[in-house]
Amino acid sequence: MTFKLDYSGMFVKILIVNCFIKVYGCQMNAADSSLLSGILAGAGITETLSEKDAESVVVLTCSVRQHAEDRAKGFARTMRGEGKKVVVAGCMAQLRGDSLIREGVADYVAGPDQYRMIPSFIKEQEMQARNPDFDELETYSDLLPSFKNSVSESLAIMRGCNNYCSYCVVPYARGPERSVPYQSIERRIRRFLDCGAKEVFLLGQNVLAYGDAGKRFIDLLERLSGLSGLERIGFLTSHPRDLDKETVRRMAAIPNLLHFFHLPLQSASDKVLSLMNRGYTMADYEERVAWVRETFEKPYITTDILVGFPGETQEDFQYTLDAIERIGFDFAYMFAYSERPGTRACEMSAKVSQEERQERLCVLIEHANAIARKKASCLVGSEEEIFITAPAPRGDGAMLAGLRNHRSIVFKQKARPGERLRARIVRLEGFTLLAEPLTKEVV
Ligand code: 5AD
Ligand code: SF4
């Protein structure tokens, strides 16, 4: 909104700008949106809760699959059609650059290393005609992200990725891997704790690659876990290749660490894993899961599976189905392979047809969900420590809570976010475990 006031013959221009942030994609983008909220607030831009009331919109985009790009483009076009100023930010902005402006999708583009420029785009203090660049030094480590004011907060400890899995666009979209300096992580977590958080998740494309001033990820985890007031600490994602036995052994000695391991498998065929450039075999992967299972009593082990990768035969796909059953994942995120221009897999032959990819995905989902349900049902009747996080969306006074291993459940009684209680798991409804109070006593 622009007000022009005529004051003593002079024009005084007061700019009041507001902005809505729309987020697509992964946890890293969700964490980036908190960073962006902080950047906007610091520049005097008011964030709106809905796009309806906004004059400008920042779309934080994801390019990992074509579908994610299509959705973000559709939303950005609609917003421009309503006369709003649109900044397309994040992965798609980096990859597609100013072609998005030419196509009428965006007024401005800002890659994952240009979030600091967004306020000047919104205020039109800066015009832009070039594609975003990477800034290998940018970790936003001087900024404090805005707080969700929740008992559970997340923080990116790394940016970028150097792994170049052959199907994945992330290294091209988010740039080279870099670690946020240790001091900055600690400072920000202290702020979260001061503001009422009790649980913190450390995020990165591969947190096991963390390194700052000779400190590796496990050193960071050990130091942070000792911060006063931090009751639960978790992390994601870990590249299975980089998990070693010594790290798992040291993790076991961290009393407030969540027993949660998200270890993306992608495929259980050694041939496909090699084509994907994953850096491990199926035997390596199963060895790592065995370390976790022998170290932690009830770990929550989740994964990502990608089907229909070039060269994946029916036999390779069957290996994946068998492995899911053998390993017994608690949950799997499942995807059909999507060609990403510029990646090595895009040039590979022996493409699996789109129909076959979708068919395999349907079979996979049914199979993995049946196993996940079976795993969940084993918990019915057990007594667990639970951590209350927020009101459950079902709106009947029930609360969402996390188990000691981060598995989410619904607690059928009103409780305060941040409370730790003992509860009994009484039922499985669909994929949701329901728990009832045991005692009101804090653990
Ligand atoms: N097509 C489909 N899924 C993909 N992922 C990454 N790239 C692609 C792609 N080109 C999946 C992987 C990764 C998750 C975040 O997204 O499973 O672990
Ligand atoms: Fe993509 Fe592989 Fe990096 Fe994950 S580790 S972001 S799948 S390149």
Side-chain angles (χ1 to χ4, degrees):
M1 198 184 300
T2 309
F3 295 109
K4 282 184 182 164
L5 303 177
D6 194 355
Y7 180 68
S8 312
M10 286 166 56
F11 275 107
V12 181
K13 194 174 170 192
I14 304 174
L15 267 175
I16 304 171
V17 214
N18 65 24
C19 180
F20 175 69
I21 303 176
K22 174 80 178 177
V23 190
Y24 290 93
C26 64
Q27 308 256 9
M28 290 296 284
N29 262 12
D32 278 5
S33 78
S34 304
L35 205 59
L36 190 55
S37 296
I39 293 174
L40 296 182
I45 296 170
T46 315
E47 208 182 314
T48 62
L49 291 176
S50 124
E51 70 260 24
K52 282 192 209 79
D53 318 312
E55 300 164 285
S56 57
V57 175
V58 180
V59 191
L60 264 181
T61 55
C62 168
S63 287
V64 94
R65 282 168 290 278
Q66 187 58 44
H67 181 61
E69 287 205 2
D70 295 343
R71 281 173 58 218
K73 276 189 183 175
F75 179 77
R77 277 210 169 92
T78 307
M79 293 297 102
R80 287 198 81 229
E82 291 176 11
K84 302 183 200 296
K85 197 179 303 164
V86 172
V87 183
V88 171
C91 294
M92 185 169 74
Q94 184 67 43
L95 292 169
R96 314 279 166 243
D98 57 13
S99 71
L100 293 170
I101 299 173
R102 289 196 301 275
E103 287 169 26
V105 174
D107 294 290
Y108 297 96
V109 285
D113 292 340
Q114 275 101 38
Y115 296 149
R116 291 177 202 265
M117 293 170 78
I118 291 176
S120 52
F121 292 155
I122 291 174
K123 292 177 174 176
E124 286 191 333
Q125 288 162 344
E126 189 144 1
M127 302 314 278
Q128 179 198 41
R130 63 192 178 89
N131 286 321
D133 292 324
F134 287 132
D135 176 353
E136 292 184 31
L137 297 177
E138 181 61 278
T139 59
Y140 301 103
S141 61
D142 56 314
L143 302 178
L144 283 171
S146 74
F147 299 94
K148 287 184 291 168
N149 276 332
S150 87
V151 291
S152 180
E153 296 279 357
S154 301
L155 183 72
I157 60 162
M158 306 190 62
R159 302 189 69 81
C161 181
N162 284 350
N163 286 308
Y164 291 95
C165 301
S166 61
Y167 51 81
C168 186
V169 82
V170 168
Y172 308 94
R174 297 187 79 94
E177 177 183 285
R178 59 215 105 138
S179 297
V180 180
Y182 170 78
Q183 295 300 341
S184 154
I185 297 172
E186 180 171 330
R187 186 168 51 91
R188 290 196 261 180
I189 292 183
R190 280 187 195 282
R191 273 295 294 272
F192 283 149
L193 298 173
D194 289 346
C195 293
K198 294 184 170 177
E199 177 182 80
V200 172
F201 279 89
L202 309 178
L203 306 181
Q205 243 67 46
N206 173 20
V207 292
L208 296 175
Y210 181 85
D212 174 51
K215 283 197 184 59
R216 296 186 312 126
F217 178 64
I218 184 66
D219 305 314
L220 175 79
L221 204 54
E222 284 171 348
R223 290 242 341 228
L224 294 175
S225 65
L227 290 178
S228 137
L230 184 58
E231 295 184 16
R232 293 163 52 104
I233 184 165
F235 58 88
L236 85 163
T237 293
S238 333
H239 195 305
R241 180 199 60 211
D242 294 338
L243 189 66
D244 59 69
K245 202 169 185 181
E246 173 64 6
T247 298
V248 177
R249 191 189 63 74
R250 283 170 67 181
M251 282 175 176
I254 301 177
N256 49 357
L257 181 72
L258 298 178
H259 299 165
F260 163 49
F261 289 81
H262 180 64
L263 292 166
L265 170 62
Q266 313 298 1
S267 166
S269 151
D270 283 345
K271 180 196 83 190
V272 175
L273 285 172
S274 165
L275 287 170
M276 287 176 166
N277 191 33
R278 288 293 286 170
Y280 54 83
T281 62
M282 196 52 213
D284 297 332
Y285 186 92
E286 293 201 61
E287 184 181 38
R288 280 147 183 77
V289 171
W291 294 338
V292 171
R293 289 211 191 280
E294 69 204 27
T295 310
F296 299 98
E297 200 194 331
K298 286 185 199 161
Y300 185 56
I301 303 180
T302 61
T303 198
D304 293 349
I305 306 280
L306 197 165
V307 291
F309 185 82
E312 183 192 69
T313 60
Q314 194 56 44
E315 193 184 5
D316 296 318
F317 176 55
Q318 188 61 46
Y319 290 150
T320 303
L321 295 177
D322 295 346
I324 289 176
E325 179 132 38
R326 208 164 54 243
I327 293 169
F329 289 111
D330 292 295
F331 185 78
Y333 297 89
M334 296 167 271
F335 313 103
Y337 169 66
S338 163
E339 262 91 19
R340 303 288 67 211
T343 60
R344 281 189 14 230
C346 208
E347 311 304 318
M348 289 180 188
S349 50
K351 295 262 188 301
V352 175
S353 71
Q354 291 289 356
E355 297 72 45
E356 185 63 31
R357 289 180 210 178
Q358 289 308 324
E359 213 160 287
R360 287 184 194 173
L361 182 61
C362 286
V363 173
L364 175 74
I365 290 174
E366 200 163 311
H367 181 67
N369 283 352
I371 291 160
R373 216 170 169 271
K374 207 159 115 197
K375 295 272 304 183
S377 68
C378 292
L379 285 167
V380 174
S382 71
E383 184 189 318
E384 303 283 336
E385 174 191 317
I386 65 165
F387 173 73
I388 308 288
T389 49
R394 44 198 256 169
D396 57 358
M399 303 297 290
L400 290 178
L403 301 185
R404 185 71 186 75
N405 64 8
H406 177 57
R407 181 194 280 276
S408 176
I409 59 135
V410 168
F411 182 58
K412 298 196 320 176
Q413 187 175 292
K414 189 117 190 72
R416 239 180 325 108
E419 254 186 292
R420 280 202 291 160
L421 306 165
R422 293 205 71 81
R424 179 162 327 272
I425 311 284
V426 288
R427 214 170 41 253
L428 179 66
E429 271 178 16
F431 288 94
T432 309
L433 282 166
L434 300 176
E436 283 177 355
L438 212 61
T439 61
K440 264 305 252 182
E441 166 198 335
V442 176
V443 183

